[in-house]
Amino acid sequence: GKGMSLAIAANDAKYDTLDMLEAMLGSAEAADETYASIVDLTRDTTLTIEKGQALAQSLAMAGLTNTALLKDAMRSIATVNSVIEGGCDKIQGLIEKATTTGKFVVNAKKLVGTGVQLKSLYEEISKRTGIGVKGMAKQLAAGKVSAEVGIAALTTVIETKLGAAARKQAHDL
């Protein structure tokens, strides 16, 4: 019947995603782990499996191949998406740009509509780098904050601020 062919198509999409992730992340284990976290996100956020597959692919193609960071990035994007319509595109853009350039650059304008406050992000980066919050804008502009540190700080701020709200949205569906 119709349900069966849909299930087969979904399964094909899963294997295509796994193949792609394995090629980009370098191992079947990393691919499986990443895929499992996409499935988890569909339970904890409003993310659909299709969106999750596309997101993982997009981030991996931008060069985010550290599995732990990739999973955190996906969780952050899905979290923002659950709480603020459209805010996730900005977060994804920030993460992908940082990954591609190796440097984390952010300003207040880039965070408008994401639910993330620049001050909170500066404080979190400061905790991780020892750079003072006052001098943060200069240091960021000078490329002194690595993509990895910036992304980790961003994902922490998002989880702290919006994580519970996202889970609530997911469970109210």
Side-chain angles (χ1 to χ4, degrees):
K2 196 169 176 207
M4 191 65 193
S5 59
L6 280 174
I8 292 168
N11 212 24
D12 283 349
K14 175 184 174 175
Y15 286 108
D16 287 348
T17 303
L18 282 168
D19 284 347
M20 183 278 307
L21 287 170
E22 183 176 346
M24 293 190 171
L25 303 176
S27 76
E29 293 77 28
D32 286 339
E33 200 181 313
T34 304
Y35 198 87
S37 79
I38 296 171
V39 175
D40 286 346
L41 285 177
T42 62
R43 283 194 289 264
D44 291 348
T45 69
T46 58
L47 191 76
T48 61
I49 197 84
E50 296 77 18
K51 279 231 173 84
Q53 289 169 341
L55 182 58
Q57 194 158 353
S58 183
L59 290 166
M61 284 170 89
L64 195 59
T65 52
N66 168 327
T67 312
L69 213 51
L70 177 61
K71 292 194 310 194
D72 283 349
M74 289 193 305
R75 174 166 294 277
S76 287
I77 293 162
T79 297
V80 172
N81 187 47
S82 300
V83 185
I84 300 150
E85 201 56 54
C88 59
D89 297 339
K90 282 191 165 178
I91 297 296
Q92 185 175 346
L94 263 176
I95 290 172
E96 289 182 357
K97 190 165 170 44
T99 303
T100 310
T101 61
K103 310 259 181 274
F104 190 78
V105 181
V106 69
N107 56 41
K109 200 171 145 216
K110 289 194 175 126
L111 294 174
V112 172
T114 64
V116 177
Q117 287 165 319
L118 195 58
K119 184 173 177 285
S120 314
L121 185 53
Y122 278 9
E123 285 165 359
E124 188 59 40
I125 294 172
S126 179
K127 264 187 225 165
R128 293 163 185 269
T129 59
I131 298 169
V133 172
K134 277 197 169 67
M136 188 63 70
K138 266 201 184 104
Q139 297 297 317
L140 284 165
K144 295 276 192 270
V145 178
S146 72
E148 203 157 312
V149 168
I151 293 167
L154 180 64
T155 58
T156 300
V157 170
I158 290 171
E159 181 55 39
T160 306
K161 190 164 190 283
L162 304 172
R167 283 185 283 279
K168 186 181 181 313
Q169 294 286 109
H171 296 299
D172 287 351
L173 285 180

